[in-house]
Coordinates of all heavy atoms in Angstrom, one line a residue:
M26 N 70.6 107.6 117.5 CA 70.3 107.1 116.2 C 70.7 108.1 115.1 O 71.2 107.7 114.1 CB 68.9 106.6 116.2 CG 68.5 106.0 114.9 SD 69.3 104.4 114.8 CE 68.5 103.6 113.5
E27 N 70.3 109.3 115.4 CA 70.7 110.4 114.4 C 72.2 110.5 114.2 O 72.6 110.8 113.1 CB 70.0 111.7 114.7 CG 68.5 111.7 114.7 CD 67.9 111.2 116.0 OE1 68.6 111.2 117.0 OE2 66.7 110.8 116.0
T28 N 72.9 110.4 115.3 CA 74.3 110.5 115.2 C 75.0 109.4 114.3 O 75.9 109.7 113.6 CB 74.9 110.4 116.6 OG1 74.3 111.4 117.5 CG2 76.4 110.7 116.6
I29 N 74.5 108.2 114.4 CA 75.0 107.1 113.6 C 74.7 107.3 112.2 O 75.5 107.1 111.3 CB 74.4 105.8 114.1 CG1 74.9 105.5 115.5 CG2 74.8 104.6 113.2 CD1 74.3 104.3 116.2
I30 N 73.5 107.8 111.9 CA 73.1 108.1 110.5 C 73.9 109.2 109.9 O 74.4 109.1 108.8 CB 71.6 108.4 110.4 CG1 70.8 107.1 110.7 CG2 71.2 108.9 109.0 CD1 69.3 107.3 110.8
A31 N 74.2 110.2 110.7 CA 75.0 111.4 110.3 C 76.4 110.9 110.1 O 77.1 111.4 109.1 CB 74.9 112.5 111.3
M32 N 76.9 110.0 110.9 CA 78.3 109.5 110.7 C 78.4 108.7 109.4 O 79.4 108.9 108.7 CB 78.7 108.7 111.9 CG 80.1 108.1 111.9 SD 80.3 106.4 111.4 CE 79.0 105.5 112.1
I33 N 77.5 107.9 109.2 CA 77.5 107.1 107.9 C 77.4 108.0 106.7 O 78.2 107.8 105.7 CB 76.4 106.0 107.9 CG1 76.6 105.0 109.0 CG2 76.3 105.3 106.6 CD1 75.5 104.0 109.3
L34 N 76.5 108.9 106.7 CA 76.4 109.9 105.6 C 77.6 110.7 105.4 O 78.1 110.9 104.3 CB 75.2 110.7 105.8 CG 73.8 110.0 105.7 CD1 72.7 111.0 106.0 CD2 73.6 109.4 104.3
A35 N 78.2 111.2 106.5 CA 79.4 112.0 106.4 C 80.6 111.2 105.9 O 81.4 111.7 105.0 CB 79.8 112.6 107.8
T36 N 80.8 110.0 106.3 CA 81.8 109.1 105.8 C 81.6 108.8 104.4 O 82.6 108.8 103.6 CB 81.9 107.8 106.7 OG1 82.0 108.1 108.0 CG2 83.0 106.9 106.2
T37 N 80.4 108.5 104.0 CA 80.1 108.2 102.6 C 80.4 109.4 101.7 O 81.1 109.3 100.6 CB 78.6 107.8 102.4 OG1 78.4 106.7 103.3 CG2 78.3 107.4 101.0
A38 N 80.0 110.6 102.1 CA 80.2 111.8 101.3 C 81.7 112.2 101.3 O 82.2 112.6 100.2 CB 79.4 113.0 101.9
L39 N 82.4 112.0 102.4 CA 83.8 112.3 102.4 C 84.6 111.4 101.5 O 85.5 111.9 100.8 CB 84.3 112.3 103.8 CG 85.8 112.6 104.0 CD1 86.0 114.1 103.7 CD2 86.2 112.3 105.5
S40 N 84.3 110.1 101.6 CA 85.1 109.2 100.7 C 84.7 109.4 99.2 O 85.6 109.3 98.4 CB 84.8 107.8 101.2 OG 83.4 107.4 101.0
G41 N 83.5 109.6 98.9 CA 83.1 109.9 97.5 C 83.7 111.1 97.0 O 84.3 111.2 95.9
G42 N 83.6 112.2 97.8 CA 84.2 113.5 97.3 C 85.7 113.5 97.2 O 86.3 114.0 96.2
T43 N 86.4 112.8 98.1 CA 87.8 112.7 98.1 C 88.3 111.9 96.9 O 89.2 112.2 96.2 CB 88.4 112.1 99.4 OG1 87.9 112.9 100.5 CG2 89.9 112.1 99.3
T44 N 87.6 110.8 96.6 CA 87.9 109.9 95.5 C 87.7 110.7 94.2 O 88.6 110.6 93.3 CB 87.0 108.7 95.5 OG1 87.2 108.0 96.7 CG2 87.3 107.8 94.3
Y45 N 86.6 111.5 94.1 CA 86.4 112.3 92.8 C 87.5 113.3 92.7 O 88.0 113.4 91.6 CB 85.0 113.0 92.9 CG 84.7 113.7 91.7 CD1 84.1 113.0 90.6 CD2 84.9 115.0 91.5 CE1 83.8 113.6 89.4 CE2 84.6 115.7 90.4 CZ 84.0 115.0 89.3 OH 83.7 115.6 88.2
A46 N 87.9 113.9 93.7 CA 89.0 114.9 93.6 C 90.3 114.3 93.3 O 91.1 114.9 92.5 CB 89.1 115.7 94.9
V47 N 90.6 113.2 93.9 CA 92.0 112.6 93.6 C 92.1 112.0 92.2 O 93.1 112.1 91.6 CB 92.2 111.5 94.7 CG1 93.4 110.7 94.4 CG2 92.4 112.2 96.1
T48 N 91.0 111.4 91.8 CA 91.0 110.7 90.5 C 90.6 111.6 89.3 O 90.5 111.1 88.2 CB 90.2 109.4 90.5 OG1 88.8 109.8 90.7 CG2 90.6 108.4 91.5
R49 N 90.3 112.8 89.6 CA 89.8 113.8 88.6 C 90.8 113.9 87.4 O 90.4 113.9 86.2 CB 89.6 115.1 89.2 CG 89.1 116.2 88.3 CD 88.8 117.5 89.0 NE 90.0 117.9 89.7 CZ 90.1 118.5 90.9 NH1 89.0 118.7 91.5 NH2 91.2 118.9 91.4
R50 N 92.1 113.9 87.6 CA 93.1 114.0 86.5 C 93.2 112.8 85.7 O 93.6 112.8 84.6 CB 94.4 114.5 87.1 CG 94.4 115.8 87.7 CD 95.8 116.2 88.1 NE 96.4 115.2 89.0 CZ 97.7 115.1 89.2 NH1 98.6 115.9 88.6 NH2 98.2 114.2 90.0
D51 N 93.0 111.6 86.4 CA 93.3 110.4 85.7 C 92.2 109.7 85.0 O 92.4 108.9 84.1 CB 93.8 109.4 86.8 CG 95.1 109.9 87.5 OD1 95.9 110.6 86.9 OD2 95.2 109.6 88.7
L52 N 91.0 110.1 85.3 CA 89.8 109.4 84.7 C 89.0 110.5 83.9 O 89.1 111.7 84.2 CB 88.9 108.8 85.7 CG 89.6 107.6 86.5 CD1 88.7 107.1 87.6 CD2 90.0 106.5 85.6
E53 N 88.2 110.0 83.0 CA 87.4 111.0 82.2 C 86.0 110.6 82.3 O 85.6 109.5 82.4 CB 87.9 110.9 80.7 CG 89.3 111.3 80.5 CD 89.7 111.0 79.0 OE1 88.9 110.5 78.3 OE2 90.9 111.4 78.7
G54 N 85.1 111.6 82.2 CA 83.7 111.5 82.0 C 83.0 110.7 83.1 O 83.2 111.0 84.3
G55 N 82.2 109.7 82.7 CA 81.5 108.9 83.7 C 82.3 108.0 84.5 O 81.8 107.6 85.6
A56 N 83.5 107.7 84.1 CA 84.4 106.9 84.9 C 84.7 107.5 86.3 O 84.8 106.8 87.3 CB 85.6 106.5 84.2
R57 N 84.9 108.8 86.3 CA 85.2 109.6 87.5 C 84.0 109.4 88.5 O 84.2 109.1 89.7 CB 85.4 111.0 87.3 CG 86.7 111.4 86.7 CD 86.8 112.9 86.6 NE 86.1 113.3 85.4 CZ 86.3 114.4 84.8 NH1 87.1 115.3 85.3 NH2 85.6 114.7 83.7
V58 N 82.8 109.6 88.0 CA 81.6 109.5 88.9 C 81.4 108.0 89.3 O 81.1 107.8 90.5 CB 80.4 110.0 88.1 CG1 79.1 109.8 88.9 CG2 80.6 111.5 87.7
A59 N 81.6 107.1 88.4 CA 81.4 105.7 88.8 C 82.4 105.2 89.8 O 82.0 104.5 90.8 CB 81.5 104.8 87.5
V60 N 83.7 105.6 89.7 CA 84.7 105.2 90.7 C 84.4 105.9 92.0 O 84.4 105.2 93.1 CB 86.1 105.6 90.2 CG1 87.1 105.5 91.3 CG2 86.5 104.6 89.0
A61 N 84.0 107.1 92.0 CA 83.7 107.8 93.3 C 82.5 107.2 93.9 O 82.4 107.1 95.2 CB 83.5 109.3 93.0
L62 N 81.5 106.9 93.1 CA 80.2 106.3 93.7 C 80.5 104.9 94.3 O 80.0 104.6 95.4 CB 79.2 106.2 92.6 CG 77.8 105.7 93.0 CD1 77.2 106.6 94.1 CD2 76.9 105.6 91.8
A63 N 81.3 104.1 93.6 CA 81.6 102.8 94.1 C 82.4 102.8 95.4 O 82.1 102.1 96.3 CB 82.4 102.0 93.0
C64 N 83.3 103.8 95.4 CA 84.2 103.9 96.6 C 83.3 104.4 97.8 O 83.4 103.9 98.9 CB 85.3 104.9 96.4 SG 86.4 105.1 97.8
A65 N 82.4 105.4 97.5 CA 81.5 105.9 98.6 C 80.6 104.8 99.1 O 80.4 104.7 100.3 CB 80.7 107.0 98.0
L66 N 80.0 104.0 98.2 CA 79.2 102.9 98.6 C 79.9 101.8 99.4 O 79.4 101.3 100.4 CB 78.5 102.2 97.4 CG 77.4 103.1 96.7 CD1 76.9 102.4 95.5 CD2 76.3 103.4 97.7
L67 N 81.1 101.5 99.0 CA 81.9 100.5 99.8 C 82.2 101.0 101.2 O 82.0 100.3 102.1 CB 83.2 100.1 99.0 CG 84.1 99.1 99.7 CD1 83.4 97.8 99.8 CD2 85.4 98.9 98.9
V68 N 82.7 102.2 101.2 CA 83.1 102.7 102.6 C 81.9 103.0 103.4 O 81.9 102.7 104.6 CB 84.0 104.0 102.4 CG1 84.3 104.7 103.7 CG2 85.3 103.7 101.7
G69 N 80.9 103.5 102.8 CA 79.6 103.8 103.6 C 79.0 102.5 104.0 O 78.5 102.4 105.2
G70 N 79.0 101.5 103.2 CA 78.4 100.2 103.6 C 79.2 99.5 104.7 O 78.6 98.9 105.6
A71 N 80.5 99.7 104.7 CA 81.3 99.1 105.7 C 81.1 99.9 107.0 O 81.2 99.3 108.1 CB 82.8 99.1 105.3
C72 N 80.9 101.2 106.9 CA 80.6 102.0 108.1 C 79.3 101.6 108.8 O 79.1 101.9 110.0 CB 80.6 103.5 107.8 SG 82.3 104.1 107.7
V73 N 78.4 100.9 108.1 CA 77.2 100.5 108.8 C 77.6 99.4 109.8 O 77.0 99.4 110.9 CB 76.2 99.9 107.7 CG1 75.1 99.2 108.4 CG2 75.7 101.0 106.8
F74 N 78.6 98.6 109.6 CA 79.0 97.6 110.5 C 80.1 98.0 111.5 O 80.1 97.5 112.6 CB 79.4 96.3 109.7 CG 78.4 95.8 108.8 CD1 78.5 96.0 107.4 CD2 77.3 95.1 109.3 CE1 77.5 95.5 106.6 CE2 76.3 94.7 108.5 CZ 76.4 94.9 107.1
V75 N 80.9 98.9 111.0 CA 82.1 99.3 111.8 C 82.2 100.8 111.7 O 82.5 101.4 110.7 CB 83.4 98.7 111.3 CG1 84.6 99.1 112.2 CG2 83.3 97.2 111.1
P76 N 81.9 101.5 112.8 CA 82.0 103.0 112.8 C 83.4 103.5 112.6 O 84.3 103.0 113.3 CB 81.4 103.4 114.1 CG 80.8 102.2 114.7 CD 81.4 101.0 114.1
W77 N 83.7 104.4 111.8 CA 84.9 105.1 111.5 C 86.1 104.3 111.0 O 86.9 104.9 110.3 CB 85.3 105.9 112.8 CG 84.3 106.9 113.2 CD1 83.6 107.0 114.3 CD2 84.0 108.1 112.4 NE1 82.8 108.1 114.3 CE2 83.0 108.8 113.2 CE3 84.4 108.7 111.2 CZ2 82.4 110.0 112.7 CZ3 83.8 109.8 110.8 CH2 82.8 110.5 111.5
L78 N 86.2 103.1 111.3 CA 87.4 102.4 110.8 C 87.6 102.3 109.3 O 88.7 102.4 108.8 CB 87.5 101.0 111.4 CG 87.9 100.9 112.9 CD1 87.9 99.4 113.4 CD2 89.3 101.5 113.1
P79 N 86.5 102.1 108.6 CA 86.7 102.1 107.1 C 87.1 103.4 106.6 O 87.8 103.5 105.5 CB 85.3 101.8 106.6 CG 84.6 101.0 107.7 CD 85.2 101.6 108.9
L80 N 86.9 104.5 107.2 CA 87.4 105.8 106.8 C 88.9 105.8 106.9 O 89.6 106.3 106.0 CB 86.8 106.9 107.6 CG 87.2 108.3 107.2 CD1 86.7 108.6 105.8 CD2 86.6 109.4 108.2
F81 N 89.5 105.2 107.9 CA 90.9 105.2 108.0 C 91.5 104.2 107.0 O 92.6 104.5 106.4 CB 91.3 104.7 109.4 CG 91.0 105.7 110.5 CD1 90.2 105.3 111.6 CD2 91.4 107.0 110.4 CE1 89.9 106.2 112.6 CE2 91.0 107.9 111.4 CZ 90.3 107.5 112.5
A82 N 90.8 103.2 106.6 CA 91.2 102.3 105.6 C 91.2 103.0 104.2 O 92.1 102.9 103.4 CB 90.4 101.0 105.5
F83 N 90.2 103.9 104.1 CA 90.1 104.7 102.8 C 91.2 105.7 102.7 O 91.8 105.8 101.7 CB 88.7 105.4 102.8 CG 88.6 106.5 101.8 CD1 88.5 106.1 100.4 CD2 88.7 107.8 102.1 CE1 88.5 107.1 99.5 CE2 88.7 108.8 101.1 CZ 88.6 108.4 99.8
L84 N 91.5 106.4 103.8 CA 92.6 107.3 103.8 C 93.9 106.7 103.5 O 94.8 107.2 102.8 CB 92.6 108.1 105.1 CG 91.4 109.0 105.4 CD1 91.5 109.6 106.8 CD2 91.3 110.1 104.3
G85 N 94.2 105.5 104.0 CA 95.4 104.7 103.7 C 95.4 104.4 102.2 O 96.4 104.4 101.6
T86 N 94.2 104.0 101.7 CA 94.1 103.7 100.3 C 94.4 104.9 99.4 O 95.1 104.7 98.3 CB 92.7 103.2 99.9 OG1 92.5 102.0 100.8 CG2 92.6 102.8 98.5
V87 N 94.0 106.1 99.8 CA 94.3 107.3 99.0 C 95.8 107.5 99.0 O 96.4 107.8 97.9 CB 93.6 108.5 99.6 CG1 94.1 109.8 99.0 CG2 92.1 108.4 99.4
V88 N 96.5 107.3 100.1 CA 98.0 107.4 100.1 C 98.6 106.4 99.2 O 99.5 106.7 98.4 CB 98.5 107.3 101.6 CG1 100.0 107.2 101.6 CG2 98.0 108.5 102.4
V89 N 98.1 105.2 99.2 CA 98.7 104.1 98.4 C 98.5 104.5 96.9 O 99.4 104.4 96.1 CB 98.0 102.7 98.7 CG1 98.3 101.7 97.6 CG2 98.5 102.3 100.0
Y90 N 97.3 105.0 96.6 CA 97.0 105.4 95.2 C 97.9 106.5 94.7 O 98.5 106.4 93.6 CB 95.5 105.8 95.1 CG 95.2 106.4 93.7 CD1 95.0 105.5 92.7 CD2 95.0 107.7 93.5 CE1 94.7 106.0 91.4 CE2 94.7 108.2 92.2 CZ 94.6 107.3 91.2 OH 94.3 107.8 89.9
L91 N 98.1 107.5 95.5 CA 99.0 108.6 95.1 C 100.4 108.2 95.0 O 101.1 108.7 94.1 CB 98.9 109.7 96.1 CG 97.5 110.4 96.2 CD1 97.4 111.5 97.3 CD2 97.2 111.1 94.8
L92 N 100.9 107.2 95.8 CA 102.2 106.7 95.6 C 102.4 105.8 94.4 O 103.4 105.9 93.7 CB 102.7 106.0 96.9 CG 102.9 106.8 98.1 CD1 103.1 105.9 99.4 CD2 104.0 107.8 98.0
V93 N 101.5 104.9 94.2 CA 101.5 103.9 93.1 C 101.3 104.6 91.8 O 101.9 104.2 90.8 CB 100.6 102.8 93.4 CG1 100.5 101.8 92.2 CG2 101.0 102.0 94.6
R94 N 100.5 105.7 91.8 CA 100.3 106.4 90.5 C 101.5 106.9 89.9 O 101.7 107.0 88.7 CB 99.3 107.5 90.8 CG 98.9 108.2 89.5 CD 97.8 109.2 89.8 NE 98.4 110.3 90.6 CZ 97.8 111.4 91.0 NH1 96.5 111.5 90.7 NH2 98.4 112.3 91.7
R95 N 102.5 107.2 90.8 CA 103.8 107.8 90.2 C 104.6 106.7 89.6 O 105.5 106.9 88.8 CB 104.5 108.5 91.4 CG 103.8 109.6 92.0 CD 104.7 110.7 92.4 NE 104.0 111.7 93.1 CZ 103.5 112.8 92.4 NH1 103.7 112.9 91.1 NH2 102.9 113.7 93.1
L96 N 104.4 105.4 90.1 CA 105.2 104.3 89.6 C 104.6 103.6 88.4 O 105.3 103.1 87.5 CB 105.5 103.3 90.7 CG 106.2 103.8 91.9 CD1 106.2 102.8 93.0 CD2 107.6 104.3 91.6
L97 N 103.3 103.5 88.4 CA 102.5 102.7 87.3 C 101.6 103.7 86.6 O 101.5 104.9 86.9 CB 101.7 101.6 88.0 CG 102.5 100.6 88.9 CD1 101.5 99.7 89.6 CD2 103.5 99.8 88.0
T98 N 100.9 103.1 85.6 CA 99.9 103.9 85.0 C 98.7 104.1 85.9 O 98.5 103.5 86.9 CB 99.4 103.2 83.7 OG1 98.7 102.0 84.1 CG2 100.5 102.9 82.7
A99 N 97.9 105.1 85.5 CA 96.7 105.5 86.4 C 95.8 104.3 86.6 O 95.2 104.1 87.7 CB 96.0 106.7 85.8
K100 N 95.5 103.5 85.5 CA 94.6 102.4 85.6 C 95.1 101.3 86.5 O 94.3 100.7 87.3 CB 94.2 101.9 84.2 CG 93.4 103.0 83.5 CD 92.9 102.5 82.1 CE 92.3 103.7 81.5 NZ 91.4 103.5 80.5
L101 N 96.4 101.0 86.4 CA 96.9 100.0 87.3 C 96.9 100.5 88.7 O 96.7 99.7 89.6 CB 98.3 99.6 86.8 CG 98.4 98.8 85.5 CD1 99.9 98.6 85.1 CD2 97.8 97.5 85.7
A102 N 97.2 101.7 88.9 CA 97.2 102.3 90.3 C 95.8 102.3 90.8 O 95.6 102.0 92.0 CB 97.7 103.7 90.3
L103 N 94.8 102.5 90.0 CA 93.4 102.5 90.5 C 93.0 101.0 90.8 O 92.3 100.8 91.8 CB 92.5 103.0 89.4 CG 91.1 103.3 89.7 CD1 91.0 104.3 90.9 CD2 90.3 103.7 88.5
A104 N 93.4 100.1 90.0 CA 93.1 98.7 90.3 C 93.8 98.2 91.6 O 93.2 97.5 92.4 CB 93.6 97.8 89.2
A105 N 95.0 98.6 91.8 CA 95.8 98.3 93.0 C 95.1 98.9 94.2 O 95.0 98.2 95.3 CB 97.2 98.7 92.9
S106 N 94.8 100.2 94.1 CA 94.1 100.8 95.3 C 92.8 100.3 95.5 O 92.3 100.3 96.7 CB 94.1 102.3 95.1 OG 93.3 102.7 94.0
G107 N 92.0 99.8 94.5 CA 90.8 99.2 94.7 C 90.9 97.9 95.5 O 90.1 97.6 96.4
A108 N 91.9 97.1 95.2 CA 92.2 95.9 96.0 C 92.6 96.2 97.4 O 92.1 95.5 98.4 CB 93.3 95.1 95.3
V109 N 93.4 97.3 97.6 CA 93.7 97.7 99.0 C 92.5 98.2 99.8 O 92.4 97.8 100.9 CB 94.8 98.8 98.9 CG1 95.1 99.4 100.3 CG2 96.1 98.2 98.4
L110 N 91.6 98.9 99.1 CA 90.4 99.4 99.8 C 89.5 98.2 100.2 O 89.0 98.2 101.3 CB 89.7 100.4 98.9 CG 88.4 101.0 99.5 CD1 88.7 101.7 100.8 CD2 87.7 101.9 98.6
L111 N 89.3 97.3 99.3 CA 88.5 96.2 99.6 C 89.0 95.4 100.7 O 88.3 94.9 101.6 CB 88.3 95.3 98.3 CG 87.3 94.2 98.4 CD1 85.9 94.6 98.7 CD2 87.3 93.3 97.2
G112 N 90.4 95.1 100.7 CA 91.0 94.4 101.8 C 90.9 95.2 103.1 O 90.7 94.6 104.1
G113 N 91.1 96.5 103.0 CA 91.1 97.3 104.2 C 89.7 97.3 104.9 O 89.5 97.2 106.1
C114 N 88.7 97.5 104.0 CA 87.3 97.4 104.6 C 86.9 96.1 105.1 O 86.3 95.9 106.2 CB 86.3 97.9 103.5 SG 86.3 99.7 103.2
S115 N 87.4 95.0 104.4 CA 87.1 93.7 104.9 C 87.8 93.4 106.2 O 87.3 92.8 107.2 CB 87.6 92.6 103.9 OG 86.9 92.8 102.7
F116 N 89.0 93.9 106.3 CA 89.8 93.8 107.6 C 89.1 94.5 108.7 O 89.1 93.9 109.8 CB 91.2 94.3 107.4 CG 92.1 94.2 108.6 CD1 92.5 93.0 109.1 CD2 92.3 95.4 109.3 CE1 93.3 92.9 110.3 CE2 93.1 95.3 110.5 CZ 93.5 94.1 111.0
T117 N 88.6 95.7 108.5 CA 87.9 96.4 109.6 C 86.7 95.7 110.1 O 86.4 95.6 111.3 CB 87.6 97.8 109.2 OG1 86.7 97.8 108.1 CG2 88.8 98.6 108.8
V118 N 85.9 95.1 109.1 CA 84.7 94.3 109.5 C 85.2 93.1 110.3 O 84.6 92.8 111.3 CB 83.9 94.0 108.3 CG1 82.8 93.0 108.7 CG2 83.3 95.3 107.7
L119 N 86.2 92.4 109.8 CA 86.7 91.2 110.6 C 87.2 91.6 111.9 O 87.0 90.8 112.9 CB 87.7 90.5 109.8 CG 87.2 89.8 108.5 CD1 88.4 89.2 107.7 CD2 86.2 88.7 108.9
L120 N 87.9 92.7 112.0 CA 88.4 93.2 113.3 C 87.3 93.4 114.3 O 87.4 93.1 115.5 CB 89.2 94.4 113.1 CG 89.9 95.0 114.3 CD1 91.0 94.1 114.8 CD2 90.5 96.4 113.9
M121 N 86.2 94.1 113.8 CA 85.1 94.3 114.7 C 84.4 93.0 115.1 O 83.9 92.9 116.2 CB 84.1 95.3 114.0 CG 82.9 95.6 114.9 SD 83.4 96.4 116.4 CE 83.5 98.1 115.9
M122 N 84.3 92.1 114.2 CA 83.7 90.8 114.5 C 84.5 90.1 115.6 O 83.9 89.5 116.6 CB 83.6 89.9 113.3 CG 82.5 90.3 112.3 SD 82.5 89.4 110.8 CE 82.6 87.7 111.3
A123 N 85.8 90.1 115.5 CA 86.7 89.5 116.5 C 86.5 90.2 117.9 O 86.5 89.6 118.9 CB 88.1 89.5 116.1
A124 N 86.4 91.6 117.8 CA 86.3 92.3 119.1 C 84.9 92.0 119.8 O 84.9 91.9 121.0 CB 86.4 93.8 118.8
L125 N 83.9 91.9 119.0 CA 82.6 91.6 119.5 C 82.5 90.2 120.0 O 81.8 89.9 121.0 CB 81.5 91.9 118.5 CG 81.2 93.3 118.2 CD1 80.2 93.4 117.1 CD2 80.8 94.1 119.4
E126 N 83.2 89.3 119.4 CA 83.2 87.9 119.8 C 83.9 87.7 121.2 O 83.5 86.8 121.9 CB 84.0 87.0 118.8 CG 83.4 85.7 118.6 CD 84.1 85.0 117.4 OE1 85.2 84.6 117.5 OE2 83.4 85.0 116.3
T127 N 84.9 88.5 121.5 CA 85.6 88.4 122.8 C 84.9 89.1 123.9 O 85.4 89.1 125.0 CB 87.0 88.8 122.6 OG1 87.1 90.2 122.2 CG2 87.8 87.9 121.6
M128 N 83.9 89.8 123.6 CA 83.2 90.6 124.7 C 82.4 89.7 125.6 O 81.8 88.8 125.3 CB 82.3 91.7 124.1 CG 83.1 92.8 123.5 SD 82.0 94.0 122.8 CE 82.1 95.2 124.1

């Protein structure tokens, strides 16, 4: 049980910290903290249902954000990566549901 709690906390902290570091240049003040907190809660919440897979969806989202940020404005890149993260976390939960259904 402690391992699961530690995994959820580590994933939440890693996603929040990485988000804060990546968006530090593009956002100002409280927006940086709000975006990092929202991302950490989404990834951590998804990790309650699916261990580790939302972290991979998050890392893919970071790559998408860094690529799209070069093409679009920072706010549009943030909106696009938010949609990708929401879709990725939803996909991981649906994937786990399908896997458990076939067991």
Side-chain angles (χ1 to χ4, degrees):
M26 185 69 169
E27 293 85 21
T28 306
I29 294 172
I30 293 171
M32 182 262 318
I33 293 169
L34 291 176
T36 303
T37 302
L39 181 66
S40 63
T43 304
T44 302
Y45 186 83
V47 169
T48 59
R49 182 178 55 217
R50 294 185 307 160
D51 299 329
L52 299 174
E53 298 174 356
R57 281 185 281 203
V58 176
V60 167
L62 184 61
C64 183
L66 289 176
L67 180 64
V68 174
C72 278
V73 169
F74 302 106
V75 184
W77 296 114
L78 283 179
L80 183 61
F81 295 124
F83 168 74
L84 294 175
T86 302
V87 170
V88 171
V89 167
Y90 175 75
L91 292 173
L92 291 174
V93 172
R94 184 176 68 178
R95 302 212 181 269
L96 300 173
L97 304 173
T98 64
K100 293 185 186 207
L101 287 175
L103 189 62
S106 62
V109 169
L110 180 61
L111 186 61
C114 286
S115 299
F116 176 74
T117 61
V118 170
L119 291 173
L120 184 68
M121 183 59 86
M122 285 174 49
L125 291 174
E126 215 171 76
T127 60
M128 290 181 96

